[in-house]
Each structure stands twice: as C-alpha cells, then as structure tokens.
Amino acid sequence: MVDLLITDADHLVTMDKKRRVIRDGSVAVQGGRILQVGKSKDLKAKYGHRAERTLSAKGKLVLPGMVEGHIHHTQHLARGVGDGMFVRPWLMHFIYPFEAVMTPEEAYISSLHCQWEMMRSGATTFIETANYFPRELARATQETGMRGIFCRSTYDQGQKAFGNLPEKLFTQTTAQALKRAEKDFLDWNGACDGRLRGGFNLRIPSNCSDRLIRGIHGLSEKHGALIQSHVASVFEQLTSSLYEHGMSEFERIEKLGCWGPNWLLIHMGWVRPREMELLKRYNIKVCHCPSCTLHLGYGNFTHGSFPEMIEMGVTVCLGSDASPAGGFVDIVKNMYLAANCHRDARLDPSVMSIESVIEMATLGGAKSALWEDETGSLEKGKKADLVMFDMSGPEWFPRFNPLYNLVHASNGTNADTTVIDGKVVMEGGKVLGIDEDALLKEVQKCGRAIMKRAGLGHLNKTRWPVE
C-alpha cells in the first residue's frame, strides 16, 4: 500500500541534482516520505491499485513545498500601519512597541493568520527569526500542519547608537539572554511531531555584546542548530557599527571567530566585496527579502549584490519578512520581484533567471534552514512536502514554459493543493481545519486592541479625509 499517489501533473519540478522537470509526472508517498517520482503511466501501473488516496494534478504545476526564509509571526497584525516611515523610527517607535504589549492569545492569532497566508501562496516551511511566544507559535503550527523553525529574539544591550529598545520584553542581561535562548530551544526543538525545530538568534548585532555573540554562536555549535541575524540590512546599521566598533557588523563577527555554515544572514544588502568572498568561504546562507527592501527603502536592489552572490555559489533564499514591512506574505510575488528588480538596477535582463529564483524559494530555502536532507526537492526518501499550482487561469496562457508563467505572470493565490509530511493540508485553495471567517474577525479585533494598548493610533492616519 501507498498512502498517497499524485498523478497526471502537467509539469513536475523535482529540484533533484539534475533539476529534472517531468511532463505528466507522478509522486508516490508512504509514511510521510516520497517513495518514488516518475512518469504517471509507470507509477499508476505500479501503485494505482494499492493507493489509499489518489490525487489528480491534471492541469497543475507541482513543485517542492516552498520555504519562507524570513518571517515575523508576531508582527503580522501590524499590517497597514507606519507607511512612509524610515527604518529606524519604524523599528524603534512602531514595531518594537507593538510587539512589547502583545498578549499570548494575540500572538497565537497573529501566528495562525501568518501561517494561513504563507500556505495560501505555496509555502510549506517557514524560518521564524525573532519571537517571544514559542508556545503560541507551536500551537498554530500544530493546527496548520506547517514545518518551521523557531528562534527566540535575543539582545542584551537596549541603548545603542542604532536605537533604544523598549524596556518591557526587550530588557535582559547577557546571562538571561543565553539561558532563555537555550531553554526555548530545548523546550520546543522537535515539537509538532518533529515539524518544528529550534534555532538561535542575534536580532541586530548592534544591540548585542561580544559576549552574547560568542555565547549564541557556542549554543548553535553545541546543538548543531541554525543561528540567524539581521546583518548589513540597511545603511544605518552599517554606519552605527562603524561608529561604535570601527568596523562593519560582518567584520566584527569575523573578528570574534564566529562565522560558520550554521549562519543565516537576513537582508545583507550592504555587503562589501571581501565580505562576499567570506560568505562563500564559510558557507554562510543569506536571505533576500525583496518586498521589504522596496517598501521600507533599504536600497538592497540598488546597492545589493544578490545576483553576484548566486553566481559565486552562495546559498540565497527568499523571505517575505513581516506583513507591515513588505505589505504581503507571498513567496511567489517575491520571486517576481527578485527576478525583475535586479534586472532593472543593472540594466541587464539576463540576471536572476527564472530557474534561479525558483531554486531560491525551494532548495535554497531548505539549505538555509539546514533541512535540505529532508525537504526542498522531490526525491525518494525525502519528506513529502509539495505544492500544486492551478494553471487554469488566463495568466497561464499561452503556456510555452510554465516556469515563466509562475514567476512572471502568476502569484501565490494560484496555489491550490499542499501536502506536508504526506498529509493534504490545503485543498482547493483552502487551508484545512481553519475557520477563515472566525479567524479574520479575531485578527481585526486583536490588531486594533494592540494598536490602542501600545498608543500607536497616531500612525494609523491617511492623508485624505475619511468621513
């Protein structure tokens, strides 16, 4: 018996070593893992009579489940506020105060809404970078069926050149920060039947002491876990580090002897040429967040070096960041932005190919999560994480190359069916087990309550009169 047989896929993108795309493709699943990938006629003959469930992918494009390489679950309810703010006041006077007053139940609602939106655009895995609510995130993950990584937000210096952090929630000593980070890792690593893994975080190096950086790096090495940080994200971060330490954030962490293959660096738009070489040498991963840099004006297209990183063989993934940072959580739309904005910045339509951005969203994300042994491609033995895109809409015609249509003509709303761990968790564009209407009512109520409690109503103003 096989648990699930997916047949008749118009195009099945394997992301295997040869990067095969199989016409009329099929996937057999048993025990949550891929048993075989191949032509439909072969797998139907072999498994068709003994499949517990068969799903037709006729008229659909099937890919490995995509990875949201950078997401903030507990910022999700702040969407639509703070438009037009520069990044430093946006963080210090809006986002951090918003997070500081959130209750556990609001964190759960925010996490559930965030995962719902990720799944509706084809994501099966997330990398949460900075959070204080592991129990609530795990609760949401258990309900949606997603796969993901949780990291506790870690600082130990609240008053620094880059900005002053709110005392509530953000104040902690170095010893407290290290203890809490390891406790959360030990408590939640392997939760949700192994679909939730722990990691470590240095949210912004400017707010972290040398001792904390070494300590978090040591915990990452001790547990073989991911470590994340916002490094070289914006010009203000670079200048703050130069002012305080006489060197860039990247140079500072190199001097501390902490770089290694467990690191995932977020944004990295203000990286220097020598630092790019070190990314490759240390096998450091990088997450590019196109919608965020455009919305908040980071300058990571005009000053960033992501096409060069990819050409050098650096692992680069894609992330939607937070909904107030980029406006939306949609990995497909971010593939479009990554593919096209760099072409415009360089006056070169040959950079950032379709295949490159699809790799960033799938296998690149899995490598960045240190999870490529189990996900990121459709191969025998890997976890059965996949997404089917409905190609019946007008944007899919004419269809000479469906990968072109996916990246340049489509968006995440075309994601129709999602399988994670061999279980169908979304079908017909609906995430199973979520009462969408009830959730949206709670989202609206909680978002307004947090804004009022944080005293941020002055940021929710339009330039036009509302009568």
Side-chain angles (χ1 to χ4, degrees), residues 276 279-280 284-286 309-316:
M276 288 178 58
L279 288 172
K280 174 67 173 176
I284 298 168
K285 286 72 175 177
V286 173
M309 291 180 194
I310 292 170
E311 287 291 327
M312 291 171 62
V314 174
T315 297
V316 183

Side-chain angles (χ1 to χ4, degrees), residues 13-167:
V13 182
T14 65
M15 293 305 300
D16 63 10
K17 290 181 180 179
K18 293 182 178 180
R19 303 299 190 265
R20 292 179 303 151
V21 179
I22 302 174
R23 296 288 304 270
D24 193 18
S26 181
V27 181
V29 176
Q30 186 176 42
R33 294 187 180 272
I34 296 172
L35 185 62
Q36 190 173 345
V37 177
K39 289 284 191 179
S40 288
K41 62 180 179 63
D42 298 327
L43 270 65
K44 280 181 179 180
K46 190 172 183 180
Y47 304 111
H49 63 290
R50 49 196 178 103
E52 186 174 326
R53 183 178 182 187
T54 300
L55 275 180
S56 173
K58 191 172 183 61
K60 294 181 174 64
L61 172 67
V62 177
L63 293 99
M66 291 188 280
V67 180
E68 275 285 2
H70 182 60
I71 201 74
H72 288 268
H73 280 77
T74 52
Q75 293 179 14
H76 205 64
L77 301 184
R79 175 163 35 210
V81 179
D83 188 48
M85 296 179 71
F86 284 86
V87 63
R88 190 154 22 187
W90 184 85
L91 285 170
M92 301 301 167
H93 303 311
F94 168 37
I95 288 298
Y96 294 157
F98 183 91
E99 287 184 289
V101 301
M102 180 173 280
T103 68
E105 184 62 20
E106 289 164 346
Y108 160 69
I109 293 297
S110 185
S111 297
L112 190 60
H113 187 217
C114 183
Q115 291 190 23
W116 177 30
E117 192 167 345
M118 282 191 277
M119 293 175 74
R120 289 184 68 225
S121 63
T124 58
T125 301
F126 61 81
I127 304 177
E128 163 64 43
T129 188
N131 204 302
Y132 295 99
F133 298 96
R135 185 178 304 278
E136 288 68 34
L137 186 144
R139 179 182 167 194
T141 305
Q142 186 64 37
E143 291 183 30
T144 63
M146 284 197 82
R147 188 184 306 283
I149 291 177
F150 166 85
C151 296
R152 182 180 179 86
S153 183
T154 308
Y155 301 97
D156 65 345
Q157 296 183 342
Q159 315 301 312
K160 300 295 288 182
F162 185 70
N164 300 328
L165 305 178
E167 290 188 11

Side-chain angles (χ1 to χ4, degrees), residues 207-265:
N207 293 104
C208 300
S209 67
D210 288 354
R211 182 184 164 204
L212 181 63
I213 292 172
R214 287 194 182 101
I216 290 291
H217 172 66
L219 290 175
S220 170
E221 293 285 297
K222 173 183 175 181
H223 296 289
L226 184 70
I227 177 172
Q228 300 180 72
S229 189
H230 298 77
V231 174
S233 300
V234 293
F235 183 64
E236 290 90 340
Q237 266 187 258
L238 173 62
T239 54
S240 294
S241 185
L242 292 171
Y243 173 75
E244 288 209 33
H245 302 284
M247 63 188 81
S248 71
E249 297 161 307
F250 198 99
E251 291 169 323
R252 180 186 169 205
I253 297 174
E254 183 195 11
K255 186 177 179 181
L256 294 172
C258 292
W259 287 135
N262 286 4
W263 282 81
L264 172 60
L265 305 185

Side-chain angles (χ1 to χ4, degrees), residues 249-306:
E249 297 161 307
F250 198 99
E251 291 169 323
R252 180 186 169 205
I253 297 174
E254 183 195 11
K255 186 177 179 181
L256 294 172
C258 292
W259 287 135
N262 286 4
W263 282 81
L264 172 60
L265 305 185
I266 302 133
H267 299 306
M268 282 295 288
W270 293 82
V271 62
R272 297 171 175 186
R274 176 178 172 273
E275 295 168 351
M276 288 178 58
E277 190 276 327
L278 293 175
L279 288 172
K280 174 67 173 176
R281 182 190 304 176
Y282 291 114
N283 192 20
I284 298 168
K285 286 72 175 177
V286 173
C287 185
H288 184 17
C289 304
S291 56
C292 175
T293 185
L294 288 173
H295 188 196
L296 292 178
Y298 281 12
N300 291 348
F301 284 112
T302 51
H303 295 277
S305 303
F306 299 100

